[in-house]
Amino acid sequence: MESIWQGFLEALRLLAIGDPEVVQVVLLSLQVSGTATAISVVIGVPLGLWLALHDFRGKPVLLSFVNFGMGLPPVVVGLFVSLLLWRYGPLGMFGLMYTPVAIVVAQAVIASPIIAGLSFAAIGSLEPKLRLQFLSLGATGLQTNWLLIKEARLGLMAAVMAGFGGVVSEVGASMMVGGNIRGETRVLTTATVMEVGRGNYELALALSFVLLMVAYSVVAVLTYSQNSRRQDAA
Amino acid sequence: MKKQVTVILMSIFLAILVLAGCGTKAPTAQQPAQPQVKDVILATTTSTQDSGLLDVLIPAFEKKTGYKIKTIAVGSGQAIAMGEKGEADLLLTHAPDAEKKVVEAGAAVNRRLVMHNDFIIIGPSADPAGIKGKAAMDAMKAIADAKAIFISRGDNSGTHQLEKKLWKQANITPAGSWYQEVGTGMGQALKMASEKQGYILTDRATYLAQAKNLGMPILVEGDAKLLNIYHVMEVNPAKYNKVNAAGAKAFADFLLSAEGQSMIASFGKEKYGQPLFFADGGKTDKDFGL
Amino acid sequence: MKAAVIDMAGVKVYREEKLVLDVPALQIASGELISVIGPNGAGKSTLLQTINLLLPYREGRLRLFGENGQENLLALRRRCAMVFQEPLFLNGTVFANVALPLRLRNLPGAVITERIMTVLDMFHCSHLVNRQALRLSGGEAKRVCLARAVVCEPELLLLDEPFAALDPATRKNLLVELRQAAEARAMTVVFVSHNLNDVLQFTERVIVMEKGTIVQEGHPGKVIRRPASRAIAELAGMDNILPCKLEKTVDGNQILLGQGRSTINYPFEMPDGAQHCCLPGDIFEIDDPDQLKDADQVRWTGMVRQVIPGIGVFQVVVEAEGLILNLRLAREQAAHLVIGQVLHFSFNPAESHLI
């Protein structure tokens, strides 16, 4: 019990003084996962929009793949990305293995289906005639899509948050393709695992604490956005 | 009202992302002559990272040469496997038998002895199998006879390879619920041994770094069989053309230089009252009777 | 004849391989106000969405303003406006919503503001301009929807049951305002409804749809008296829709009603497969039994069951010949009737309508 308390105090101290090691890991985590999320938004939102607005023969199959992708195990993604990025792998010439870019790639693979699936749900929950109404009011195809995205923005924000929350707290793929290199690919989760291995529970706790704060802010935004949507509906 | 809160939360979130983007501007310090290929991938055993030794050696090396060492800390088994596939530039490991094979196969060259410390067997202070003070093999036999809990790394690391060798020499095939293979790094395995009150074979450096959290005494030490020798090897550029041979050689040379050796020799003295590693630059296996 | 704004020929629309709209021919002239009625699922909304080029059609030809409906969809669509059954607002103020079609056309801000205020004024909702559109009441929302459709000055206005779920007074006011707006701007209007009252107030030509196709077309008065099918008869508020059988005898054709208990001599051609006989309530005349009348008249005797007062016309429910009949009688004739009273009445069989 005492060690938990001590760890907690040390965690607070490390955060309060802005321990450069901790700060660096936190910033790198946010940057890597933020970039991966941004890429996933570029891939996932249009895909979700397209799925929500089009009917075609293979749609159920494609949807089942997207839903399956929402639960892809990060370590499996890590392994596949490793196989691709290794020096002697098919993409080895780019020298991306054990770089932040490799983590971004793996995390984007993890987050894209999450964002696509939730975007599909967000756009799909809009009144289906809204799209026709926008077209009827004289909107071009692009304008219509943009208006739909704006109308579904709370749901899409939730999708983005879920994607970000998923990758920032993921450890398997980051460890495998990033290698937990100090100052370069050491992110919150891999650093936590390593500090536990070293027996530095204070530092591990401090990192976990930051991770929890990031995760909490994600959940808080989700909760508030759902609440305000419920109010709008009322 | 709720909407405003949402907007505020979202803005904070975005602000954090933006700050994160600005915050990580090239943390690397100014370097002297820039080498052609900066990144050097070092595949190594967890004990060199978990003990903190690399945190001392690498910054000094990087500052001096401008190379950037990318440490992938895994078990010696996996580190050597990375070398065999040409995915690393140099290897710092402590699994002599596996190392020799890899050199014989031509995947790694220039295997040099860097340092040693020793393995020890630790366990609960009550010592239910009564191994205190025994020789390594006798201790293993006693643990197996008593079916006392034994935690094995189970990850083909250098420590695990030595453990398997000891069982083999003692003519024991460990099996049963008392023998638990955990498949994690040294630090984590030590913690598990402490929680389960089991015996475990560990390198001294990792043990000393964590002793305060464990509450388990050293029961067996000093046996010649428990010598823990670290070698550095460069992955063979003749076999793998993508290897950063110059960088690998530079770091290996640094480890064996007077500066590197004195850093190794003094590492841990201040914190633990004794060094964690003994510098062995220039020695060969023969000096250890191997 | 003015130029046709809408000219459709052989247009077929499929949804998931099912034929949902089949229009062999339809022309609507410029400036015309036309209604479309039909039961639920008749394809009225599909027709409007097809005209608005929102649904692709596979066969046939559709010309809007004389131009091919397969090309330049955006340009053609921007000459039209459509009001859907549901309000379908953006999350934002009334101003933002009404501004939307103008912003989509990249009009300058000053023009937008001016046009919005004019059009909101026209539909009596200037006071709503800063309200959240999603929080408007039903009537307010409809007015704003109409304003949003009219604000871009369309040549063709398509209305899909815009007044469903509104109270009669509001409907009536809105219809008047809409008619004025249409006439003032020389708009062509296609008005979908399943309320015949609205149709009667709004237009002089009506298209009747059923099962995805046009079954009747003409003046609303004709649809009321001579509906094309039972569903339309019900929709049009036909007073008496009686199951019947048809018999051809040597003396002439006969309509058998009430399981054969009463017959109507029908000296006209009979449509095949008709199963119902429609008798509008205003064809009946009360007879003086002492006075003989035209022998061609059908004469029935019955008992008064209910007298429902009304302005000008009373509705009288009579049980006669094993049938329950609804009669519409002038006030002076009906006001003195009492329940249980025996009533002699007659009608001209040519007024009956077989479907």
Side-chain angles (χ1 to χ4, degrees):
Chain A
M1 192 59 219
E2 199 180 324
S3 72
I4 294 178
W5 180 239
Q6 274 179 359
F8 185 70
L9 288 181
E10 173 66 9
L12 284 182
R13 191 188 69 82
L14 285 170
L15 292 176
I17 63 166
D19 180 77
E21 182 101 31
V22 174
V23 169
Q24 212 262 324
V25 168
V26 170
L27 290 181
L28 182 67
S29 276
L30 293 176
Q31 195 184 25
V32 164
S33 296
T35 311
T37 309
I39 292 170
S40 306
V41 165
V42 172
I43 297 169
V45 172
L47 180 60
L49 187 76
W50 185 73
L51 281 173
L53 299 183
H54 291 85
D55 279 317
F56 50 91
R57 204 168 287 262
K59 184 170 172 177
V61 180
L62 195 54
L63 266 182
S64 71
F65 271 110
V66 169
N67 286 335
F68 168 66
M70 289 172 79
L72 271 189
V75 284
V76 175
V77 175
L79 179 58
F80 277 103
V81 173
S82 300
L83 292 176
L84 290 177
L85 297 186
W86 264 330
R87 272 182 187 165
Y88 292 97
L91 303 175
M93 59 283 203
F94 299 115
L96 294 177
M97 193 64 181
Y98 305 125
T99 63
V101 177
I103 310 185
V104 167
V105 169
Q107 292 192 346
V109 171
I110 294 167
S112 292
I114 296 178
I115 293 182
L118 293 178
S119 300
F120 166 76
I123 303 277
S125 70
L126 292 175
E127 164 66 55
K129 281 195 188 160
L130 206 51
R131 179 174 155 269
L132 296 182
Q133 173 74 79
F134 292 146
L135 284 173
S136 171
L137 289 173
T140 63
L142 274 180
Q143 285 173 328
T144 304
N145 289 347
W146 177 240
L147 286 168
L148 288 173
I149 287 173
K150 266 170 70 185
E151 279 311 284
R153 60 187 176 275
L154 289 178
L156 291 175
M157 200 57 173
V160 175
M161 294 274 149
F164 180 77
V167 293
V168 80
S169 58
E170 162 290 318
V171 60
S174 301
M175 189 62 111
M176 222 180 281
V177 305
N180 188 33
I181 297 165
R182 183 185 188 186
E184 192 169 348
T185 59
R186 187 164 296 173
V187 293
L188 276 167
T189 50
T190 59
T192 306
V193 168
M194 184 197 66
E195 295 302 345
V196 168
R198 285 177 165 183
N200 290 336
Y201 296 106
E202 296 84 5
L203 199 50
L205 258 177
L207 295 168
S208 311
F209 199 65
V210 178
L211 196 54
L212 283 179
M213 289 199 310
V214 172
Y216 173 74
S217 59
V218 167
V219 172
V221 172
L222 285 183
T223 313
Y224 275 110
S225 68
Q226 275 159 2
N227 266 356
S228 54
R229 194 161 25 165
R230 218 168 289 141
Q231 277 192 342
D232 281 348
Chain B
M1 179 57 207
K2 283 271 167 63
K3 212 172 224 177
Q4 283 168 345
V5 176
T6 314
V7 169
I8 291 168
L9 278 174
M10 283 179 186
S11 330
I12 292 172
F13 177 75
L14 288 175
I16 290 175
L17 284 188
V18 172
L19 279 177
C22 311
T24 44
K25 263 179 260 153
T28 39
Q30 299 91 329
Q31 285 142 352
Q34 290 284 330
Q36 270 201 324
V37 187
K38 273 173 64 186
D39 289 345
V40 182
I41 297 178
L42 167 66
T44 182
T45 162
T46 50
S47 57
T48 54
Q49 174 166 283
D50 285 358
S51 62
L53 176 64
L54 291 178
D55 292 347
V56 175
L57 289 173
I58 288 173
F61 170 74
E62 288 179 345
K63 202 168 175 189
K64 196 170 166 182
T65 61
Y67 281 111
K68 176 101 185 68
I69 297 288
K70 302 174 92 171
T71 312
I72 310 300
V74 288
S76 289
Q78 194 185 333
I80 289 170
M82 284 176 70
E84 281 173 335
K85 285 192 294 181
E87 296 296 343
D89 298 320
L90 80 161
L91 314 173
L92 177 60
T93 52
H94 62 150
D97 294 346
E99 288 162 9
K100 280 178 199 155
K101 270 187 216 157
V102 115
V103 172
E104 278 163 21
V109 292
N110 211 2
R111 175 168 175 260
R112 285 180 282 175
L113 212 161
V114 177
M115 61 191 180
H116 80 275
N117 61 5
D118 59 345
F119 286 104
I120 49 178
I121 301 175
I122 65 164
S125 34
D127 192 11
I131 65 165
K132 190 169 170 66
K134 287 192 174 164
M137 250 161 57
D138 296 337
M140 299 300 263
K141 275 181 191 152
I143 291 169
D145 288 345
K147 295 203 184 309
I149 292 174
F150 185 90
I151 302 295
S152 164
R153 283 279 294 280
D155 62 351
N156 208 27
S157 59
T159 313
H160 186 217
Q161 288 181 25
L162 175 71
E163 179 210 316
K164 285 193 290 189
K165 197 168 160 186
L166 287 175
W167 289 123
K168 205 173 170 192
Q169 285 174 356
N171 248 331
I172 294 167
T173 311
S177 63
W178 61 274
Y179 181 75
Q180 304 185 347
E181 288 188 82
V182 296
T184 65
M186 195 69 249
Q188 187 69 13
L190 280 174
K191 185 70 187 161
M192 292 176 76
S194 157
E195 291 296 327
K196 291 177 175 256
Q197 288 292 295
Y199 292 96
I200 184 167
L201 177 72
T202 170
D203 66 285
R204 190 182 287 268
T206 312
Y207 169 74
L208 283 177
Q210 290 207 34
K212 65 180 163 87
N213 295 320
L214 298 174
M216 300 215 294
I218 299 174
L219 298 170
V220 174
E221 60 184 329
D223 188 325
K225 285 198 162 62
L226 294 180
L227 211 53
N228 181 20
I229 304 174
Y230 290 83
H231 285 85
V232 66
M233 296 176 285
E234 293 148 46
V235 176
N236 188 358
K239 186 163 183 186
Y240 299 107
N241 56 352
K242 293 182 183 176
V243 158
N244 182 358
K249 184 165 189 320
F251 188 63
D253 289 347
F254 173 78
L255 289 178
L256 293 162
S257 69
E259 186 188 356
Q261 288 286 302
S262 87
M263 287 173 92
I264 292 170
S266 61
F267 176 70
K269 262 186 192 165
E270 219 171 276
K271 199 167 173 189
Y272 308 107
Q274 52 176 296
L276 298 187
F277 298 94
F278 299 95
D280 295 322
K283 292 188 188 169
T284 62
D285 286 2
K286 288 199 181 90
D287 295 311
F288 294 94
L290 295 171
Chain C
M1 166 132 183
K2 289 186 198 169
V5 168
I6 300 169
D7 182 5
M8 295 169 83
V11 170
K12 286 185 175 147
V13 176
Y14 293 84
R15 193 169 279 160
E16 286 163 8
E17 302 303 314
K18 215 181 119 212
L19 182 65
V20 289
L21 184 72
D22 181 6
V23 181
L26 176 66
Q27 274 91 33
I28 297 175
S30 175
E32 193 177 359
L33 304 185
I34 190 165
S35 296
V36 180
I37 65 163
N40 285 333
K44 307 186 295 285
S45 301
T46 310
L47 175 66
L48 277 202
Q49 289 174 18
T50 306
I51 293 174
N52 204 197
L53 308 178
L54 296 174
L55 289 179
Y57 54 94
R58 236 189 257 169
E59 296 168 36
R61 186 198 56 173
L62 166 57
R63 296 183 82 80
L64 269 190
F65 313 108
E67 290 181 38
N68 186 350
Q70 300 276 35
E71 295 157 16
N72 290 324
L73 298 195
L74 182 67
L76 287 178
R77 231 184 251 141
R78 284 188 172 181
R79 295 168 72 177
C80 312
M82 176 152 165
V83 177
F84 289 72
Q85 288 174 43
E86 307 82 0
L88 300 174
F89 286 128
L90 286 177
N91 193 351
T93 60
V94 166
F95 185 91
N97 271 280
V98 181
L100 181 64
L102 303 176
R103 292 212 172 117
L104 292 174
R105 289 163 171 78
N106 291 322
L107 290 179
V111 177
I112 291 180
T113 311
E114 191 203 318
R115 282 226 221 156
I116 288 175
M117 294 325 289
T118 312
V119 79
L120 287 180
D121 202 40
M122 186 193 312
F123 288 99
H124 304 292
C125 43
S126 312
H127 59 290
L128 301 175
V129 66
N130 289 320
R131 289 265 298 278
Q132 284 297 311
L134 293 173
R135 292 173 200 230
L136 297 176
S137 73
E140 291 168 341
K142 289 298 180 190
R143 284 171 192 276
V144 172
C145 276
L146 286 171
R148 178 174 65 175
V150 171
V151 75
C152 49
E153 298 180 350
E155 294 162 60
L156 172 62
L157 182 62
L158 305 164
L159 306 171
D160 192 356
E161 307 210 17
F163 307 131
L166 290 188
D167 61 87
T170 314
R171 296 174 91 102
K172 205 169 166 181
N173 288 337
L174 274 175
L175 277 168
V176 172
E177 286 164 27
L178 193 59
R179 228 189 127 106
Q180 285 169 352
E183 278 164 4
R185 301 185 176 207
M187 278 189 293
T188 309
V189 181
V190 182
F191 175 69
V192 162
S193 176
H194 60 238
N195 183 314
L196 205 76
N197 265 329
D198 291 355
V199 170
L200 287 171
Q201 292 199 29
F202 195 68
T203 62
E204 315 215 310
R205 183 172 160 217
V206 60
I207 291 169
V208 182
M209 291 192 70
E210 209 181 346
K211 291 176 188 149
T213 191
I214 295 173
V215 293
Q216 199 171 5
E217 199 181 332
H219 192 275
K222 188 184 159 207
V223 175
I224 290 176
R225 304 200 74 83
R226 303 260 171 211
S229 71
R230 175 162 183 215
I232 308 300
E234 281 171 358
L235 201 66
M238 173 58 67
D239 297 299
N240 301 294
I241 307 170
L242 307 168
C244 70
K245 281 190 181 139
L246 306 182
E247 259 188 20
K248 296 186 181 180
T249 63
V250 279
D251 303 332
N253 299 332
Q254 280 193 326
I255 305 169
L256 305 181
L257 296 167
Q259 278 133 18
R261 282 170 65 184
S262 59
T263 56
I264 300 173
N265 287 325
Y266 191 71
F268 310 102
E269 195 165 329
M270 293 213 287
D272 289 333
Q275 291 178 327
H276 291 87
C277 175
C278 296
L279 300 174
D282 58 3
I283 63 174
F284 300 99
E285 285 171 42
I286 295 181
D287 292 342
D288 185 345
D290 302 332
Q291 265 189 338
L292 266 175
K293 271 207 165 174
D294 189 350
D296 291 344
Q297 292 283 94
V298 176
R299 288 169 201 290
W300 282 346
T301 301
M303 190 188 280
V304 175
R305 284 300 184 122
Q306 199 184 357
V307 179
I308 305 163
I311 295 173
V313 176
F314 278 43
Q315 196 181 335
V316 179
V317 182
V318 175
E319 189 178 347
E321 312 279 322
L323 303 165
I324 302 287
L325 296 170
N326 292 295
L327 279 56
R328 288 178 192 266
L329 299 174
R331 183 170 67 96
E332 56 272 22
Q333 284 182 302
H336 65 273
L337 292 177
V338 292
I339 291 171
Q341 186 181 337
V342 173
L343 198 65
H344 302 277
F345 56 96
S346 63
F347 64 93
N348 182 351
E351 297 270 20
S352 59
H353 175 62
L354 292 170
I355 49 179

